[in-house]
Amino acid sequence: MELHLNNIGHKYNNLDVLKEISFSIRQGEIACIIGPSGCGKSTLLRIMGGLETATCGDVYISGEIPSNTINPLTFVFQDFALLPWRSVEANISLVLEDHPIPTVQRKEIIDSVLARTKLSDFKKALPKQLSGGMKQRVAIARALAVNPAFMLLDEPLSALDSQTRELLMSDLIDLWQRENFTACYVTHNLNEAVRLGHKIIVLSRRPGTIRRIVEIPIPLEERHNHLAELEYSQQVLWNLMRDEALAADRELSNAD
Amino acid sequence: MQTKKSKQLKLFENLAKKSLREPEVQVKRPIRFRGGGFVIKPMPWVPPLVFTALIAFWEVGSRSGFISNLVLPAPSEAAQAFIDLAHSGLLIKHVKASLYRLVVGWTIGSLLGVTFGMLIGLFSIARASLFPLVSAIFPIPKIALLPLFVIWFGIGEGSKIATILFGSFFPVVIASYGGVQNVDRNLIRMGQSFNLSWFSIVRKIILPGALPAILSGFRISASIAIILLVAAEMIGAEYGIGAYVLTAGSLFATDQLIAGVAMLSILGLIVSWLIGKAEKALLRWRS
């Protein structure tokens, strides 16, 4: 499944948030969107996932959606968005309950995604008992349960400490190798972008436009052997963003 | 340049000598703790102690004549009145009548309250039309409407239940509406992103999310229901704790009055304890 954006523009109360954004994400590719805070990158992701409608332009998908997919476009949120009153198991069950899946099969799916995210021992735990990293693992397990054709990750690691982030990042790489999903990954962390992105879309400050699309041709699983190149790419990205980030920072302080 | 350097050197030498001459005694000063206070600790033995002390003081005061019997009857007299009431067999009748009105009025009022609160929280048209209405009627003392209720619902149980029903309805509406509004928008967005049906989102995300607020609404409405019970039993009630208190009041039988008021207070405590239990059971997930 591929996703295409064609000349997307978005306004909030006549304030331009996004402008003239066009790009495509190919099958099996992870595209990272980076940009200074307030540049509308999360808005763009929500537009891609149908949670918001763009003021102009269109988003469409092409290619075949696998028949076993329950929810083709699936989000992973920064704040995990787990229901605090439901156990790990029941949180995953939530997204399957509205579909005509026999109970036995539903249990199988839950067990399988919990095993894949190394959560089998925490089936009955409530979210409040879990650490941030564990909560995000549950959210990822929930996303996997619906067999997504396309994952929309909205700063999934931003609420976590750096050690947990490192662990989850390598988990995500393992997962991608196994499941080979297509994804759009929004982050403000350049390191995450160069570690996980096949292609990195750099947005300018508000109104967000594409400054550049940087492709990183090193396969994800080999990136830990190419730290120097990654460091270089990261530097290139930072040079692209620094002035924008500085300006965006100043802009925020006198906004409203 | 030369002099500056030598001057600096000298200064260092002096310092070195000084430290050699008088090895400074390192006084160890402990860091004063200043992070205390502002923490409420549970003291389970205090409440019974306060109650007992107060009642003992009152009893002693009454017996010694320090508190005039006209002003306040002794707790033992109130207890005697209560025992008499129990012996006469009327206690059960009073309590039964009151509990019936309370349970029926409060249950219907609260359930309607949750329903209306959810409607106001979920639908723009309900919010636009009902919320101003609720805000307008909420502050009216329901006691003032009692004569109207008598005309509308009859002098029997109807008007009494209606008073309690109306009284408990409004706080629950406001609490439920607030609860729905405060449900984490991200959770709703999550539900939408997984294509959950509208009904599923309401039942599985919004309703449980609003539950803490709904339960505190219940707590308020239950107290209001007990307050209104006395008012509701003012008119044409033969039995009921409220009727008992009112009769005692008009006869200046202050011992019976105190006994009746104590019953209402205990009723309130029981209800509050029950809601506390419900909160503990239903809101285990809160951190």
Side-chain angles (χ1 to χ4, degrees):
Chain A
M1 188 181 128
E2 300 188 350
L3 195 137
H4 312 273
L5 284 88
N6 185 16
N7 202 21
I8 292 288
H10 194 59
K11 287 180 186 193
Y12 277 127
N13 313 320
N14 280 328
L15 181 73
D16 269 319
V17 186
L18 294 166
K19 231 171 135 178
E20 296 162 5
I21 294 192
S22 306
F23 63 86
S24 296
I25 301 173
R26 289 187 298 267
Q27 164 66 36
E29 187 178 57
I30 299 181
C32 286
I33 299 179
I34 59 171
S37 52
C39 72
K41 44 191 193 299
S42 292
T43 310
L44 185 60
L45 196 73
R46 286 205 287 275
I47 290 171
M48 290 163 72
L51 289 181
E52 235 167 289
T53 40
T55 320
C56 64
D58 39 20
V59 192
Y60 52 94
I61 49 178
S62 65
E64 210 173 314
I65 296 170
S67 57
N68 59 350
T69 293
I70 299 171
N71 188 41
L73 293 163
T74 299
F75 275 89
V76 173
F77 298 93
Q78 180 180 3
D79 64 352
F80 325 127
L82 299 176
L83 301 184
W85 49 86
R86 283 192 175 224
S87 66
V88 166
E89 186 182 26
N91 258 296
I92 297 168
S93 166
L94 173 84
V95 300
L96 301 170
E97 284 163 11
D98 273 19
H99 300 275
I101 303 167
T103 318
V104 184
Q105 206 192 330
R106 194 160 71 208
K107 285 223 166 80
E108 277 171 15
I109 294 176
I110 294 171
D111 285 337
S112 143
V113 293
L114 286 177
R116 277 186 278 166
T117 45
K118 301 166 200 158
L119 282 166
S120 302
D121 296 339
F122 302 91
K123 224 169 149 176
K124 304 278 178 208
L126 283 175
K128 70 168 179 183
Q129 298 170 287
L130 302 174
S131 67
M134 280 298 187
K135 282 184 198 156
Q136 196 54 290
R137 276 213 175 85
V138 177
I140 291 168
R142 178 178 62 188
L144 292 178
V146 293
N147 237 325
F150 195 100
M151 291 253 256
L152 301 134
L153 302 115
D154 189 2
E155 307 214 14
L157 308 182
S158 296
L160 307 173
D161 62 72
S162 55
Q163 291 100 312
T164 316
R165 192 180 304 172
E166 200 63 39
L167 288 173
L168 263 174
M169 230 187 306
S170 47
D171 281 1
L172 276 177
I173 292 169
D174 287 350
L175 215 56
W176 178 80
Q177 278 183 278
R178 263 181 290 144
E179 322 272 337
N180 197 29
F181 50 79
T182 314
C184 186
Y185 188 108
V186 165
T187 182
H188 62 254
N189 185 313
L190 300 181
N191 183 248
E192 281 171 31
V194 298
R195 291 274 300 278
L196 292 169
H198 294 104
K199 121 166 131 203
I200 298 164
I201 297 152
V202 185
L203 292 189
S204 67
R205 77 191 143 103
R206 202 174 57 212
T209 49
I210 296 181
R211 281 218 55 186
R212 194 177 298 176
I213 297 180
V214 178
E215 306 245 1
I216 299 184
I218 313 166
L220 289 192
E221 62 275 19
E222 282 169 29
R223 292 208 179 166
H224 57 272
N225 296 327
H226 297 266
L227 292 177
E229 283 103 314
L230 293 186
E231 183 64 37
Y232 175 73
S233 304
Q234 200 174 324
Q235 202 55 49
V236 169
L237 291 173
W238 176 232
N239 288 337
L240 270 172
M241 276 181 68
R242 186 172 45 217
D243 295 338
E244 298 278 345
L246 204 66
D249 195 35
R250 290 217 187 102
E251 201 169 88
L252 266 181
S253 56
N254 48 27
D256 303 312
Chain B
M1 195 73 198
Q2 190 71 31
T3 49
K4 204 175 181 187
K5 223 173 194 174
S6 62
K7 241 184 193 172
Q8 238 173 19
L9 222 86
K10 231 171 204 165
L11 199 74
F12 276 124
E13 271 170 14
N14 279 344
L15 272 173
K17 265 183 200 160
K18 206 174 177 188
S19 65
L20 273 177
R21 226 179 17 242
E22 320 163 9
E24 237 177 87
V25 187
Q26 297 261 323
V27 185
K28 285 186 195 162
R29 293 186 306 276
I31 295 164
R32 188 175 59 86
F33 174 61
R34 49 187 177 168
F38 303 105
V39 179
I40 301 289
K41 282 176 272 180
M43 298 179 127
W45 45 272
V46 172
L49 197 76
V50 171
F51 271 89
T52 333
L54 204 65
I55 290 170
F57 170 76
W58 176 7
E59 182 71 39
V60 170
S62 295
R63 291 206 178 173
S64 65
F66 169 67
I67 301 170
S68 157
N69 217 20
L70 266 177
V71 177
L72 204 62
S76 56
E77 285 172 58
Q80 191 55 50
F82 180 77
I83 292 163
D84 290 345
L85 185 70
H87 278 309
S88 68
L90 287 175
L91 176 67
I92 306 277
K93 278 188 178 168
H94 286 309
V95 172
K96 239 189 189 164
S98 285
L99 275 184
Y100 169 73
R101 289 165 194 147
L102 267 181
V103 170
V104 175
W106 179 80
T107 310
I108 300 176
S110 294
L111 289 182
L112 282 176
V114 173
T115 315
F116 275 76
M118 296 286 291
L119 289 177
I120 292 175
L122 290 172
F123 299 104
S124 315
I125 179 74
R127 186 171 317 177
S129 57
L130 294 173
F131 193 65
L133 212 62
V134 167
S135 309
I137 304 175
F138 185 34
I140 298 176
K142 305 303 168 290
I143 305 167
L145 296 176
L146 205 55
L148 281 180
F149 288 153
V150 171
I151 297 168
W152 295 346
F153 306 107
I155 194 118
E157 292 304 302
S159 59
K160 297 171 186 65
I161 287 172
T163 312
I164 294 168
L165 192 154
F166 270 75
S168 29
F169 173 74
F170 291 98
V172 176
V173 173
I174 304 235
S176 316
Y177 162 62
V180 171
Q181 283 234 294
N182 274 334
V183 172
D184 190 349
R185 294 286 121 182
N186 274 332
L187 291 182
I188 297 173
R189 197 176 288 145
M190 180 276 292
Q192 292 172 327
S193 82
F194 280 99
N195 270 342
L196 300 195
S197 65
W198 181 89
F199 189 68
S200 276
I201 291 178
V202 171
R203 192 164 63 88
K204 294 170 184 168
I205 299 176
I206 296 178
L207 192 61
L211 198 60
I214 293 175
L215 283 175
S216 44
F218 282 177
R219 205 181 263 283
I220 297 167
S221 73
S223 306
I224 290 180
I226 293 173
I227 294 171
L228 285 175
L229 178 70
V230 180
E233 289 176 347
M234 260 182 351
I235 296 172
E238 195 180 348
Y239 295 113
I241 303 173
Y244 173 74
V245 170
L246 288 167
T247 322
S250 50
L251 295 173
F252 280 95
T254 47
D255 51 345
Q256 291 180 12
L257 186 110
I258 297 287
V261 168
M263 276 192 268
L264 289 174
S265 160
I266 288 165
L267 194 63
L269 284 176
I270 292 171
V271 168
S272 149
W273 176 78
L274 283 175
I275 290 172
K277 281 269 158 199
E279 277 177 346
K280 231 177 209 166
L282 294 171
L283 308 180
R284 246 180 344 113
W285 48 270
R286 280 209 292 195
S287 39

